[in-house]
Amino acid sequence: MVDRSFTDPSLAALYDTLNPWGPGDDFCLGQVMSAGTVLDIGCGTGRLLGRARREGHQGRLMGLDPAAAMLVRARAHEPGVEWVLGDLRSREWHGEFELAVMTGHAFQVLLGDEELRLALAAVRAALAPGGRFVFETRNPGARAWERWTPDRVREIPDGDGGVVRVWHEVESVAAGGERVTFTETFEGARWARPQVDRTTLRFLGADALDRFLRGAGFVVVERYGDWGRGPLTLAAPEIVTVAEPADRHNWAP
C-alpha cells in the first residue's frame, strides 16, 4: 500500500521542499551520470533523473513509482525521461539497465521477507551484465526513530504564501527495532483539518541486508555509513550499499 503522502497531490507537492537536494542526491547523481542506462525504483518526483538529463545524460533513463501524484510532478520535471506507473512487479525485466537505484530510503518500505526477496530478484533481472544496484537504508544502530517526536516541528512554505507545519510521532517499535510504525502530520491553511499519514518502515542491519542480497545473487562491492563515504559504524546514520551481480565475481552462496 502506497503512503498517503505520496498519493495525495496536495501532500506530494510538498515532498521536494521537505526533502531538499542533499549529499545523498549528489552521490546518486554521480552514479547515474557514469551509467548508460538507469532504472530509478521509487523515483518519486523525478528530480534525480530529471537533473541527470538536464546535466547532459544521453542514455536511457526510466523512473518507476507506484504513486500517480508523484509521477505527475516527475513529468513536469523532465518530459525526456520514461516515467512508469507501477512497481517492480509491474513487468518482466530482461537486463536492460547498467544501474538500478533506490533513493529516499525507499528500500525500507519492503516490509516482508518474501516481498524483499521478490524485489531483489526483479532488480537482479533488470541489470545488464556488470550492472550495479545502489540503495541506502537507515542504520538501525543510530535509532533515528527516537528523534521522530511531536515536539520537533518543521515549518515549510506551502507555495501560496502560507506555512505548513509537519511533525512525526512513533506509534510502535516492533521486532527489536526492526519495524517502526509512525505518523507524519501536516497542518496548514490549505486543509480544514490536519492531514495524517501512517507509515511502517523496516530497519535491517548490514548482516541481514547482506543475507538477502546474497540470496538474490548479489555481492556487496562498496559499503558506507554516510554519503561522504565514511565507514559504517554502529552509530553511522546510513547503510549505503553498492552491489553487483555475484556471477561477475565468481561467487556462490
Side-chain angles (χ1 to χ4, degrees):
M1 185 176 180
V2 183
D3 291 350
R4 184 184 175 197
S5 60
F6 304 143
T7 59
D8 184 323
S10 69
L11 299 180
L14 301 173
Y15 181 85
D16 285 344
T17 303
L18 275 170
N19 302 278
W21 187 277
D25 300 287
D26 288 329
F27 181 98
C28 291
L29 181 62
Q31 300 284 328
V32 171
M33 296 303 291
S34 65
T37 52
V38 181
L39 174 64
D40 185 354
I41 305 158
C43 65
T45 62
R47 66 185 182 189
L48 175 62
L49 297 187
R51 182 153 172 180
R53 185 68 87 207
R54 291 191 297 274
E55 293 198 5
H57 195 290
Q58 298 297 312
R60 184 186 183 192
L61 301 175
M62 176 184 287
L64 179 69
D65 201 282
M70 298 294 268
L71 285 184
V72 167
R73 305 195 68 81
R75 293 186 177 105
H77 266 304
E78 178 54 64
V81 174
E82 296 176 56
W83 302 114
V84 178
L85 180 64
D87 58 25
L88 285 164
R89 299 166 296 179
S90 301
R91 56 176 291 175
E92 291 186 4
W93 305 95
H94 302 286
E96 300 101 313
F97 299 97
E98 296 176 16
L99 174 70
V101 296
M102 291 184 78
T103 64
H105 302 108
F107 192 89
Q108 290 185 253
V109 306
L110 301 170
L111 300 179
D113 287 359
E114 186 62 17
E115 180 184 16
L116 181 50
R117 290 189 186 101
L118 289 172
L120 289 173
V123 174
R124 176 66 185 85
L127 288 177
R132 284 193 158 195
F133 176 36
V134 178
F135 69 96
E136 93 286 352
T137 180
R138 296 177 182 88
N139 180 10
R143 304 178 68 84
W145 62 85
E146 294 182 346
R147 297 182 290 280
W148 298 347
T149 55
D151 59 298
R152 295 172 179 258
V153 178
R154 289 185 61 187
E155 293 189 350
I156 61 171
D158 65 4
D160 297 316
V163 170
V164 175
R165 302 175 74 248
V166 185
W167 66 90
H168 301 85
E169 185 168 9
V170 173
E171 290 189 344
S172 65
V173 179
E178 186 173 303
R179 286 179 176 80
V180 178
T181 299
F182 63 98
T183 58
E184 184 175 28
T185 302
F186 301 80
E187 183 181 68
R190 64 173 60 185
W191 306 289
R193 60 182 62 85
Q195 305 297 295
V196 181
D197 178 39
R198 179 171 286 100
T199 302
T200 300
L201 298 178
R202 188 173 188 181
F203 288 74
L204 287 173
D207 289 345
L209 283 172
D210 291 350
R211 285 194 295 272
F212 280 108
L213 288 165
R214 285 196 300 270
F218 284 101
V219 61
V220 174
V221 295
E222 297 177 34
R223 172 63 57 68
Y224 307 111
D226 57 48
W227 293 114
R229 292 180 166 83
L232 176 59
T233 63
L234 180 62
E238 305 284 354
I239 303 175
V240 180
T241 300
V242 181
E244 293 180 350
D247 50 15
R248 183 181 183 187
H249 299 264
N250 296 315
W251 177 94

